[in-house]
Amino acid sequence: MKTKLLIPVALAIAIVAISVTTMSALMGSSSKIVALSSSEAQATFGGSWEVLQNQTYLKVYPTENITIYYANGTNVTIPYPQHVKLLDHEVLVGNINGTKVKMMINVVQFTSNVSHFVLPLSHFIQDEHHHHHFSQNYMLIYNSTEYNGYRVIYFASNAPYPHTILIAYKGPTLIEVTLNGYVASMAQMEEVLNNI
């Protein structure tokens, strides 16, 4: 009877130990799970903010191996790395002057320079130019610039609802910040980028 009880207990202890080790490895990695704290969001946008813990996570992509089997009976195993190393996804919700705002942040670490992924997008926006389009009920602002070594693409509009998008990249890092329900200024989005 004691043996039957010890097996599940030992298994539970092993699972907890593996979970703690995995979480320690994630916490000690170059990316942090919570990229932007609720206090940093509040300092930037005002209002009150909270991080949705059950929607915020860090994905770690393993290095895969390929094994080649030769007809002569030998085989060779070579590494086949994923293009993505880490994906840090965060969701925050805020209340700014009675308006509910949702912010999503993705910080992606690639295995190589990401400019060839994003460069076609940046050609739609002329370098170092600000574009503003306003009509009676419609506003559209977009800009492409450099900030802290990042190439930054900024887009804000009130149609069909207020929203703001920032894409920033340098080297192997790509950051995307989306605000739904709020038109943020370029300076505010740069402050968010600075805090990530």
Side-chain angles (χ1 to χ4, degrees):
M1 187 66 161
K2 287 181 181 178
T3 307
K4 288 182 180 179
L5 285 174
L6 286 175
I7 292 171
V9 170
L11 186 60
I13 291 170
I15 290 169
V16 168
I18 291 167
S19 299
V20 168
T21 304
T22 303
M23 282 306 296
S24 298
L26 291 178
M27 296 298 283
S29 71
S30 61
S31 183
K32 51 186 179 175
I33 295 174
V34 176
L36 185 75
S37 70
S38 53
S39 59
E40 288 169 329
Q42 184 174 343
T44 302
F45 301 106
S48 61
W49 290 84
E50 70 170 306
V51 176
L52 297 186
Q53 301 283 343
N54 62 341
Q55 295 182 35
T56 297
Y57 55 80
L58 174 65
K59 277 187 182 179
V60 178
Y61 293 80
T63 300
E64 301 288 344
N65 290 320
I66 296 176
T67 302
I68 304 169
Y69 298 93
Y70 288 93
N72 65 7
T74 62
N75 60 65
V76 177
T77 301
I78 57 173
Y80 184 74
Q82 299 279 352
H83 293 298
V84 176
K85 287 170 58 178
L86 298 171
L87 167 61
D88 194 346
H89 176 78
E90 181 178 5
V91 180
L92 302 95
V93 290
N95 188 312
I96 303 175
N97 299 323
T99 301
K100 186 177 178 183
V101 182
K102 185 175 184 180
M103 177 163 40
M104 288 172 287
I105 300 171
N106 288 307
V107 181
V108 188
Q109 295 289 334
F110 289 86
T111 56
S112 60
N113 195 306
V114 297
S115 61
H116 61 280
F117 292 118
V118 188
L119 201 57
L121 176 62
S122 63
H123 283 304
F124 287 109
I125 304 171
Q126 296 299 317
D127 291 345
E128 309 303 333
H129 281 85
H130 307 267
H131 303 276
H132 303 269
H133 300 286
F134 297 97
S135 66
Q136 188 173 4
N137 297 314
Y138 176 76
M139 181 223 22
L140 171 67
I141 304 169
Y142 54 99
N143 183 19
S144 176
T145 188
E146 296 280 339
Y147 180 79
N148 279 356
Y150 284 93
R151 169 49 99 195
V152 177
I153 300 168
Y154 161 84
F155 173 85
S157 177
N158 63 352
Y161 55 86
H163 61 285
T164 311
I165 299 169
L166 179 129
I167 298 171
Y169 60 95
K170 71 175 175 182
T173 305
L174 174 66
I175 298 173
E176 179 193 20
V177 181
T178 304
L179 274 169
N180 290 324
Y182 186 76
V183 174
S185 69
M186 181 79 177
Q188 286 174 315
M189 296 304 276
E190 286 176 343
E191 189 175 339
V192 169
L193 179 61
N194 193 50
N195 287 325
I196 291 175

